[in-house]
Amino acid sequence: MPDTPQEYDYIIVGAGSAGCALAYRLSREASRRVLLLEAGPRDYNPMIHIPLGFAFTMKNAAVNWCYETDPEPNMNGRKLAWPRGKVLGGTSSINGMVYIRGHREDYDHWSSLGNTGWSYEEVLPYFKRSEHKAEGAGEYHGYGGPLWVQEVANKDKLELADLFIQAAVQSGLPYNEDFNGADQEGAGYYQLNIRNGLRQSSARTFLKQCEKRPNLTLETGALTHRVLIEDGRAVGVEYGMKKGRDCESKRAYSRGEVILCGGVVNSPQLLELSGVGNREQLEALGIKVHRELPGVGENLQDHLTINVLQGLHGVNTFYEETKPLTMLQNLLKFLFQRRGLLTHPAAQAGVFFRSSAQETRPDAQIHFAPAASEADPRGNLKTAPGTTATVCHLRPESRGSVHIRSADPASHPNIRANYLATEVDRRTMVAALRKVREIFASPALDKYRGVEFKPGLEKQTDEEILEYIRSEAESVYHPTGTCKMGSDDMAVVDERLRVHGIESLRVADASIMPTITSGNTHAPAVMIGEKCADMLLQDAGIKISLPEGLERISRARKKTQHRKTGAVATR
Ligand SMILES: Cc1cc2nc3c(=O)[nH]c(=O)nc-3n(C[C@H](O)[C@H](O)[C@H](O)COP(=O)(O)OP(=O)(O)OC[C@H]3O[C@@H](n4cnc5c(N)ncnc54)[C@H](O)[C@@H]3O)c2cc1C
């Protein structure tokens, strides 16, 4: 007998950074039935949990969508890899574990575009509510939230990371002990989503704490094919569940809302598959149009990053740490103490800086890794004693797109990132690379400096450096913006994340960002999930307690509005 379709208050598509946070908050309301659908499997793969394992999950199709861009016109026609998590926790299960919220002006900018409620002052309470800062609460940090965030412990700090920070300070940057605090600029240690030597993904934090709630149903291996739309309202979803070699088609219905948390590639893909998007493109693929929204899949922004590989000697790098005997020691250290090489994130230390004097806030970020590789005479890369600083431009002007190429939900969409499309983007990347070289040339590294493996000191002119960037730069994996929030013609969702023109359908993930944040994108995606939960519950008439501090801000805002409208009325 076929299953009877189930009915829920909320159907969430995608158990990633944002989706897990959303599921956690919504299912706290015991009266609400929540369904969370995840295309990928459970997060059993040990490489997910061992921090350094991210080097292996980056290309593992068992837990990763393994997307790639179309040939990039300004990158010598190269296709760039776009890993995205396809597993519980989504991309937070395969990411670099660096916890960064972005710059306060990012959010003030969103708000200035007309997105009420998204100023820094108004999103900070959501960042804090989600957070458990292991070292304790503060003006900028929360304690007691589901998401574990911690500083690099002194005993785990690498000598080389210290040297790099010293070198950056000698190059004129301030030391910064909290990139998520009052000021972002400077050099310092990152905060991490690592606890006791293990990754703290959204699945291991938010989901783990709510999975057993009786009002939450979680289905993994459930690829949502489309949103069911009737008379302009989302009423449920159709999805496929793998059964052996077959795929069983299922439906789930919602009396409340459907929320897409599929991420920057899959959320616009799902909208298009469901008949929401550019009319011509959808009709060409034989998809019935429910709502013409030309902005779906547009406005794609990403951080392009370029490596500077500096040879070093006389200081420990991964080259020494991965020699067979030391590797064995590292393995034992991990097993018995949860410390050592295997607990290393993508970067322990980093820098936010301004690439030119005209910038009023940092527009470039460095991730610093104590590892390098060098080409042997046959061109094969092998680990070498040295270090890599990878630098990205934080607020690129270039815009790309994601669009389906077929009506088959299993088919990967076309991704055109369009990196380096503008002169500003090209100039900033060149200037940013020069700054990395300046840091590596600082006195703190005099005793250790070897040759520059890449780009190689023979590359000095802007043209030579730009050519190196075109031929070697990669994504630092922060794509955003393909279902942008706003009220202009290209906006996909409004400030309450409701899809324009379709009732009971929202998007909540990194795709809603109108402009990319100045930093890594997991923490902002979590904040978006947190905030969406409150908006959903409020709009359903459920009384909720707002995160600490927000009540006061809302009251102040209402008062100002009241005063303004009062002033108009008496005029
Ligand atoms: C290698 C790498 C390193 C990174 N390092 C960092 C870092 O150190 N710090 C940081 O802040 N950010 C980092 N990022 C970026 C960050 O992790 C992401 O921006 C963030 O996780 C995106 O969250 P999201 O909720 O938008 O989407 P995701 O976390 O990608 O979640 C989307 C989920 O939806 C599921 N899904 C998609 N389509 C469907 C469907 N049709 N049906 C059912 N389920 C579906 C997916 O499988 C996935 O689980 C990194 C990214 C990568 C790839």
Side-chain angles (χ1 to χ4, degrees), residues 7 17 110 123 129 171 199 249 254 263 308 330 386 399 407 425 448 461 495 534:
E7 206 180 45
S17 296
W110 293 5
V123 298
R129 180 173 83 177
S171 81
R199 172 191 295 276
S249 182
S254 115
V308 177
N330 270 313
R399 298 289 183 264
D425 290 1
Y448 313 99
T461 66
E495 66 202 20
D534 277 13

Side-chain angles (χ1 to χ4, degrees), residues 10 28 66 97 240 251 290 371:
Y10 299 111
R28 273 167 71 113
C66 294
M97 293 149 287
R251 284 181 170 209
H290 285 283

Side-chain angles (χ1 to χ4, degrees), residues 13-19 37-40 54 58 65 67 82-100 193 222-225 261-264 266-267 269-270 346 367 409 476-480 508-511 519-526:
V13 178
S17 296
L37 294 173
E38 169 53 46
F54 86 91
M58 288 260 285
W65 294 88
Y67 291 122
W82 266 37
R84 301 274 98 198
K86 185 183 183 182
V87 60
L88 271 196
T91 309
S92 76
S93 287
I94 65 161
N95 75 7
M97 293 149 287
V98 171
Y99 179 82
I100 285 285
N193 296 126
L223 178 74
T224 301
H225 293 170
C261 301
V264 70
N266 299 49
S267 284
Q269 176 192 32
L270 270 168
H367 292 88
V476 78
Y477 316 125
H478 299 158
T480 54
D509 56 31
S511 72
N520 314 64
T521 41
H522 164 63
V526 166

Side-chain angles (χ1 to χ4, degrees), residues 30 78 95 128 178 211 217 303 452 462 569:
R78 287 187 299 131
N95 75 7
K128 288 171 72 175
D178 183 0
E211 211 189 323
T217 306
H303 292 147
E452 182 185 280
D462 285 359

